[in-house]
Amino acid sequence: MASTSLNSLLKRYYNIQPTGTTSELDVINSSRICFPREDYTDDELAEVDRWLTTSSQFSSSSDGQTKTAEELEALNTHLASRTTLLGHKPSVADVAVYDSLAPLVKSWSADQRTGENGHHHIVRYVDFVQNAPLFGLKISDEDKVAMDPDKVIVVPKPLDPKEEKERKRKEKEAAAAAEGKPVVTGQTKKEKVKEAVASAKDAVKETVTGGAAAATGKKEKKEKAPKPQKQPPKETPLSPALIDLRVGHILKAVAHPNADSLYVSTIAVGDPAGTDNTSEYEGQIVRTVCSGLNGLVPLEEMQNRKIVAVCNLKPVTMRGIKSAAMVLAASPRLKEGEVDNHGGPVELVSPPAGARAGERILFDGWEGEPEGVLNPKKKVWEMCQVGFTTTDDLGVAFEVGKVEQLKGEAAEGKTALGKLRVKGGGECTVKSLKGATVR
């Protein structure tokens, strides 16, 4: 895309006029103007440049309708697992692609938008770019693409992580083949199992034949030593440190396709590759998390932000999607006899600025290692959560006096109100709720 087009985009969507009548902006300078807080790698800048070139094809008819349809289908597939073109990071390419797509999506029928063969992800993407504070486009409501939730014909199924991983692998192989590079393919799981079985058979055969050749007589049977009795497992004292609280980074969040009150978030919490109930997204190991925050926390506040995640609750399936963690949030504490109508307000618990995804979070005075997965029968979460609260200075703390099981000797020498903080770092906070319950 020509630099003058970048100039016109900045003027149209940000009311920014570059200094000088002949001043031309490149990708780097325009990105710094629109998104000064973002840092882009060389690969990301190259991808932005490619999308700027591609954006003109969505509104151009010079290549014919067939070429345009192919480009739109490719874009729809690309956005199926991404919030923005780069994954979760905004760029001027998003603004350029939106500029080309908006008139086109406006002209689409409901069937073209969300029918069986519609472009669901493009429609969702256009709505996100034009409304999200992340982009901050200066567009009047009249100029935006109108969206009517009641006219959604087909709700797309969530992506299967295995299918998405296979699709990315094929994309890499195709790209390598196009560049003339040798294609390196790893063994599939079935091939690895076959190889392991063959190796085991060879080992058994060698052992049997070798033993037969060496044997000259019957061997005396050795008396088996009695097996030592297993000691009963040591009971771990109740402590909020048994709960695995970590800094989480929400890479993207969408509405649950089967439940109006739920969001489905993709969250990085520092898991190593191969951890149960994780998948790969944009080069990071992530968990899928369902949270009942739809209607209580705006969807745009759930995008590309840090939160506190409870990481060792037993995974549960919520309306067809397995949730492998929980997002910690605060809400007003109920008065005696009051019924919780789940009407809010609700505020997400935020870790301190600069905290990294995966960092451990603990309450002051309560050190210790977390359980791998909390046993639901032991009710560790339920007993300790009663003591989770917010303070007058908007911090989050553990009030030991509220936990019946920790009164008396069990709490001797413990801080009455232990602040929640990143291990060795700053405190976790909420926006405005004081004396609230946290869960």
Side-chain angles (χ1 to χ4, degrees):
M1 173 175 280
S3 299
T4 51
S5 297
L6 287 174
N7 290 1
S8 64
L9 285 175
L10 264 63
K11 185 176 181 181
R12 184 179 309 134
Y13 292 108
Y14 295 99
N15 295 334
I16 295 174
Q17 177 65 55
T19 56
T21 56
T22 61
S23 177
E24 295 185 353
L25 292 172
D26 58 14
V27 173
I28 296 176
N29 289 325
S30 57
S31 298
R32 286 173 178 167
I33 292 173
C34 296
F35 308 105
R37 294 184 179 180
E38 300 292 346
D39 292 321
Y40 300 93
T41 65
D42 291 341
D43 287 343
E44 287 173 335
L45 289 172
E47 188 173 352
V48 168
D49 210 24
R50 286 196 297 274
W51 281 113
L52 289 173
T53 302
T54 305
S55 65
S56 60
Q57 297 174 9
F58 299 133
S59 58
S60 171
S61 60
S62 60
D63 290 334
Q65 292 183 346
T66 303
K67 180 67 178 295
T68 303
E70 290 175 356
E71 295 287 352
L72 288 171
E73 189 59 37
L75 176 63
N76 193 62
T77 301
H78 180 79
L79 291 171
S81 60
R82 296 167 175 84
T83 304
T84 68
L85 293 173
L86 294 181
H88 60 272
K89 189 180 293 186
S91 70
V92 289
D94 291 297
V95 182
V97 170
Y98 170 82
D99 186 61
S100 297
L101 287 175
L104 186 61
V105 177
K106 272 186 180 180
S107 69
W108 283 349
S109 64
D111 189 61
Q112 286 175 301
R113 290 187 179 193
T114 59
E116 187 69 35
N117 298 312
H119 297 90
H120 303 74
H121 304 296
I122 289 179
V123 173
R124 182 261 307 161
Y125 169 75
V126 166
D127 190 44
F128 177 68
V129 173
Q130 68 184 3
N131 289 305
L134 183 67
F135 289 96
L137 302 188
K138 299 184 184 301
I139 316 174
S140 64
D141 290 339
E142 293 77 15
D143 291 333
K144 290 180 179 178
V145 180
M147 302 291 179
D148 188 349
D150 294 331
K151 291 185 179 180
V152 175
I153 300 172
V154 177
V155 177
K157 293 180 180 179
L159 280 178
D160 186 311
K162 290 183 179 179
E163 291 180 2
E164 178 64 7
K165 189 174 182 179
E166 180 65 14
R167 184 186 68 77
K168 287 183 177 180
R169 183 183 67 79
K170 288 180 179 178
E171 279 185 1
K172 288 180 180 179
E173 289 180 4
E179 295 176 8
K181 296 179 179 178
V183 178
V184 179
T185 56
Q187 283 183 309
T188 64
K189 187 176 282 186
K190 285 185 178 179
E191 288 170 343
K192 289 180 178 178
V193 170
K194 282 183 179 180
E195 187 177 303
V197 170
S199 298
K201 283 182 178 179
D202 290 342
V204 170
K205 190 174 181 181
E206 185 180 341
T207 301
V208 171
T209 55
T216 57
K218 291 184 179 180
K219 293 183 178 179
E220 292 182 8
K221 289 184 179 180
K222 292 183 179 179
E223 289 186 10
K224 292 183 179 179
K227 291 183 179 179
Q229 290 185 345
K230 290 184 178 179
Q231 295 295 324
K234 189 178 180 181
E235 193 68 27
T236 305
L238 182 65
S239 165
L242 298 175
I243 301 169
D244 189 3
L245 299 175
R246 299 186 219 165
V247 177
H249 184 184
I250 300 179
L251 302 180
K252 72 166 184 175
V254 296
H256 194 297
N258 305 318
D260 294 339
S261 63
L262 300 178
Y263 287 140
V264 182
S265 302
T266 301
I267 307 180
V269 291
D271 289 313
T275 302
D276 288 345
N277 301 305
T278 63
S279 58
E280 185 179 338
Y281 176 77
E282 292 296 309
Q284 297 192 57
I285 304 302
V286 296
R287 300 191 187 193
T288 298
V289 180
C290 297
S291 54
L293 300 172
N294 196 344
L296 298 172
V297 176
L299 184 57
E300 55 267 23
E301 287 188 22
M302 299 286 290
Q303 310 295 334
N304 191 26
R305 65 161 296 162
K306 300 289 178 60
I307 50 89
V308 176
V310 184
C311 294
N312 62 343
L313 297 175
K314 187 176 180 180
V316 293
T317 299
M318 304 177 74
R319 301 296 294 272
I321 297 178
K322 182 182 277 191
S323 178
M326 187 174 76
V327 177
L328 212 58
S331 57
R333 192 176 295 277
L334 295 177
K335 297 175 182 177
E336 189 172 350
E338 188 177 359
V339 178
D340 189 358
N341 61 5
H342 303 287
V346 171
E347 294 178 0
L348 299 180
V349 176
S350 297
R356 299 186 304 277
E359 285 192 272
R360 183 83 197 283
I361 299 177
L362 292 162
F363 291 101
D364 286 343
W366 297 89
E367 297 290 332
E369 291 301 313
E371 295 279 345
V373 177
L374 291 175
N375 186 342
K377 293 181 181 180
K378 293 185 177 181
K379 306 288 184 184
V380 172
W381 164 254
E382 289 81 358
M383 288 188 286
C384 289
Q385 183 274 322
V386 176
F388 289 18
T389 187
T390 59
T391 60
D392 289 341
D393 61 355
L394 303 181
V396 178
F398 180 67
E399 190 172 355
V400 68
K402 289 186 176 294
V403 181
E404 188 67 32
Q405 295 79 1
L406 289 177
K407 289 181 179 178
E409 290 182 12
E412 265 187 40
K414 297 294 185 182
T415 308
L417 197 67
K419 287 291 191 73
L420 184 67
R421 66 179 72 243
V422 171
K423 194 171 183 179
E427 294 181 22
C428 298
T429 58
V430 293
K431 284 184 180 177
S432 63
L433 294 175
K434 299 178 181 180
T437 188
V438 178
R439 56 190 172 191

